[in-house]
Amino acid sequence: MAYHLSLSLSLSLLLFTYFPSNSQSNQFCEAGIGYDEVGCGISSSSTKLLIKGGTVVNAHHQEIADVYVKDGIIVAVKPNLTVGDDVKVIDATGKFVMPGGIDPHTHLAMEALNTESVDDFFSGQAAALAGINSFKFFLAYKGVLMVNDELLLEGLKRCKSLGALAMVHAENGDAVFEGQKRMIQLGITGPEGHALSRPPLLEGEATARAIRLAGFVNTPLYVVHVMSIDAMEEIAKARKSGQRVIGEPVVSGLALDDSGLWDSDFTTASKYVMSPPIRASGHGKALQDALSNGVLQLVGTDHCVFNSTQKASGIDDFRKIPNGVNGIEERMHLVWDLMVESGQISVTDYVRVTSTECARIFNIYPRKGAIIAGSDADIIILNPKSTFEINARSHHSRTDTNVYEGRRGKGKVEVTIAGGRVVWENNELKVVPGSGKYIEMAPFSYLFSGIDRADASYLSSLNAPVKRFKSTT
């Protein structure tokens, strides 16, 4: 059982929850990030902001209004606000003002296959949440992280008693292990062997099994990185029956297909290796449809990056390629371009799937995930007319490759505000070291509402134990 700590912060997604260590603060200073005329670690930015004339978007409503921020908190959201002179004013006319995106699924400074992912909490601009109210269980990675059904059941019961959300990486680890041996026996040792060894049916089987066991315990379940039609259909069926199951697609599954795994260049092919694998053409569009109609609820990234040298450790055996792709920096732009620009979801739905629903699930709404008076001032300003291009030369990750290399689209985050301070503007990163803070997340989110009543109804329906007479002969 591994606890899940990975709501995160990047240029376009915000949840300011991490205190960098002294060594990490030094990294900021050495890189010149956070330096100003006052000195490293101190920001001269105004603590008062007025965002004028933008279209303020929440999950269920949008309006043209001004947003006034003071000391890290949203004070007012109204048209034509008038404030004092000591306020930094940002003109958002013609742009969308939205809650900072929350990425529910990242792996930073994560150990894997005797190496560590290259993005830590400094380079990933990430945040770990304490007051932990979720736990992640791996049904994959036999002999390393995988739990069997007995341990999963015990974990589900414990999560229920704590009011914590059980999260599951759903692949059949035993069958994957068999699939890997089969590929090696066939002489398939390259990155394509990774995908071939863990087909969609194994993701579907594990998803179905986890859902049924969660139903048996009667506790909510969150299925991470839903990558296939097989898994998505199991979630759809469970939700239709009334079971409390959350399905999380990730950007790579929505935006990519598996063709890159067959590239003749190993460096190119290996950068696409992740688990569950990026699927064949058709799965991504089905996941987009499921996100647009509510079968899947929010978008993560499963950001876990390794550089080409680390990936090369598996050049003769795909089983040794560290698993993971990027996405923490690209998520907000790609979801806009894929889902909003294409007309598949509305602007308010965009806020829901990138921010609000995550805040609700992890019980930090409306402090996060909303542009309303009293909420934390974690805000993005997105220009729907601006364009973006993704490449490894300009991204802020430490990895030397990017699975979205060369991708262009519309909808660019031009300003990012974290805790009431501008940290990204005019293509310039203005991060201040040491400004993060831990956020406690209370247990028993809305997903647990009515669980006790359902348990009581189940017990009363048993008509047991039956009183029986003992035989006297």
Side-chain angles (χ1 to χ4, degrees):
M1 180 173 71
Y3 57 81
H4 194 70
L5 288 177
S6 50
L7 278 84
S8 58
L9 165 73
S10 81
L11 303 183
S12 58
L13 43 127
L14 297 167
L15 193 52
F16 229 59
T17 53
Y18 178 63
F19 279 117
S21 66
N22 288 335
S23 63
Q24 288 165 326
S25 294
N26 289 339
Q27 284 179 296
F28 277 105
C29 296
E30 290 167 7
I33 300 172
Y35 248 106
D36 56 23
E37 67 275 12
V38 182
C40 186
I42 302 172
S43 171
S44 61
S45 299
S46 170
T47 58
K48 297 179 183 178
L49 289 174
L50 181 63
I51 305 169
K52 287 194 65 68
T55 300
V56 177
V57 187
N58 283 298
H60 303 293
H61 178 68
Q62 66 181 68
E63 62 176 329
I64 295 177
D66 300 340
V67 180
Y68 178 47
V69 172
K70 181 178 180 181
D71 297 330
I73 303 296
I74 296 171
V75 176
V77 182
K78 294 180 181 178
N80 304 314
L81 281 172
T82 301
V83 296
D85 296 330
D86 59 338
V87 178
K88 176 180 173 66
V89 177
I90 299 175
D91 184 3
T93 304
K95 303 172 185 179
F96 292 110
V97 180
M98 309 181 192
I102 306 173
D103 184 344
H105 189 179
T106 65
H107 301 276
L108 298 157
M110 179 181 177
E111 294 182 4
L113 296 177
N114 300 315
T115 188
E116 185 177 279
S117 60
V118 293
D119 277 341
D120 58 17
F121 290 100
F122 167 72
S123 63
Q125 292 301 299
L129 284 175
I132 298 164
N133 68 0
S134 63
F135 293 83
K136 183 176 178 182
F137 302 88
F138 290 84
L139 304 188
Y141 305 115
K142 183 178 175 70
V144 184
L145 295 172
M146 176 180 152
V147 299
N148 59 25
D149 287 354
E150 179 183 10
L151 285 174
L152 178 59
L153 280 166
E154 289 300 316
L156 291 171
K157 289 191 295 183
R158 185 61 172 153
C159 281
K160 181 180 179 180
S161 70
L162 294 171
L165 182 59
M167 311 176 77
V168 63
H169 173 138
E171 290 182 287
N172 187 312
D174 289 315
V176 167
F177 185 72
E178 177 62 29
Q180 290 175 327
K181 291 191 297 183
R182 180 187 300 173
M183 292 304 111
I184 297 299
Q185 289 167 359
L186 291 171
I188 302 172
T189 61
E192 71 277 10
H194 176 79
L196 294 171
S197 69
R198 47 209 315 149
L201 67 92
L202 300 188
E203 185 186 354
E205 185 280 332
T207 302
R209 178 160 40 97
I211 287 171
R212 284 162 174 77
L213 292 179
F216 177 65
V217 174
N218 190 28
T219 194
L221 183 72
Y222 183 118
V223 183
V224 303
H225 47 42
V226 178
M227 298 294 286
S228 66
I229 294 171
D230 305 55
M232 179 269 289
E233 288 181 341
E234 295 294 341
I235 293 167
K237 183 165 59 176
R239 288 179 61 85
K240 187 175 182 179
S241 73
Q243 190 171 345
R244 298 175 188 196
V245 179
I246 299 295
E248 171 210 272
V250 290
V251 175
S252 54
L254 294 170
L256 302 173
D257 63 41
D258 68 348
S259 58
L261 288 163
W262 272 260
D263 195 284
S264 59
D265 177 67
F266 176 85
T267 298
T268 299
S270 64
K271 75 180 180 181
Y272 293 101
V273 170
M274 66 172 291
S275 296
I278 298 167
R279 302 299 186 186
S281 179
H283 287 271
K285 185 59 175 71
L287 295 177
Q288 292 177 30
D289 292 343
L291 182 65
S292 68
N293 63 32
V295 170
L296 302 175
Q297 286 70 53
L298 73 168
V299 181
T301 63
D302 194 20
H303 178 95
C304 186
V305 291
F306 301 90
N307 61 36
S308 56
T309 301
Q310 291 172 304
K311 292 271 189 177
S313 62
I315 196 165
D316 296 317
D317 185 346
F318 67 83
R319 296 172 297 181
K320 297 179 182 178
I321 301 172
N323 289 199
V325 303
N326 60 288
I328 196 172
E329 185 172 341
E330 297 82 7
R331 183 183 73 124
M332 298 295 279
H333 293 141
L334 288 174
V335 174
W336 180 274
D337 189 57
L338 276 172
M339 302 301 297
V340 182
E341 189 65 26
S342 67
Q344 294 187 82
I345 64 173
S346 66
V347 178
T348 53
D349 281 338
Y350 174 80
V351 169
R352 177 177 57 80
V353 302
T354 61
S355 182
T356 306
E357 188 60 24
C358 187
R360 293 183 68 235
I361 288 169
F362 292 97
N363 220 12
I364 52 173
Y365 179 85
R367 179 175 178 181
K368 306 288 184 181
I371 304 290
I372 58 177
S375 296
D376 287 354
D378 296 338
I379 301 167
I380 61 170
I381 300 175
L382 184 146
N383 187 342
K385 296 180 180 179
S386 288
T387 59
F388 64 86
E389 181 177 354
I390 300 170
N391 59 68
R393 296 187 308 278
S394 62
H395 71 202
H396 292 78
S397 170
R398 286 177 175 164
T399 186
D400 57 348
T401 63
N402 193 305
V403 293
Y404 310 104
E405 185 71 32
R407 185 143 189 161
R408 299 179 180 181
K410 287 189 67 176
K412 183 178 180 181
V413 175
E414 295 186 337
V415 179
T416 299
I417 297 162
R421 295 183 182 274
V422 176
V423 295
W424 174 257
E425 188 179 27
N426 299 322
N427 292 319
E428 182 183 356
L429 187 62
K430 304 176 180 180
V431 177
V432 180
S435 59
K437 59 183 177 181
Y438 283 108
I439 295 176
E440 288 192 11
M441 295 190 298
F444 296 103
S445 72
Y446 80 93
L447 293 169
F448 287 85
S449 177
I451 290 287
D452 289 344
R453 291 193 299 274
D455 283 342
S457 177
Y458 164 73
L459 292 174
S460 66
S461 71
L462 296 177
N463 295 319
V466 175
K467 293 182 180 179
R468 293 183 173 86
F469 297 104
K470 293 183 178 179
S471 173
T472 57
T473 59

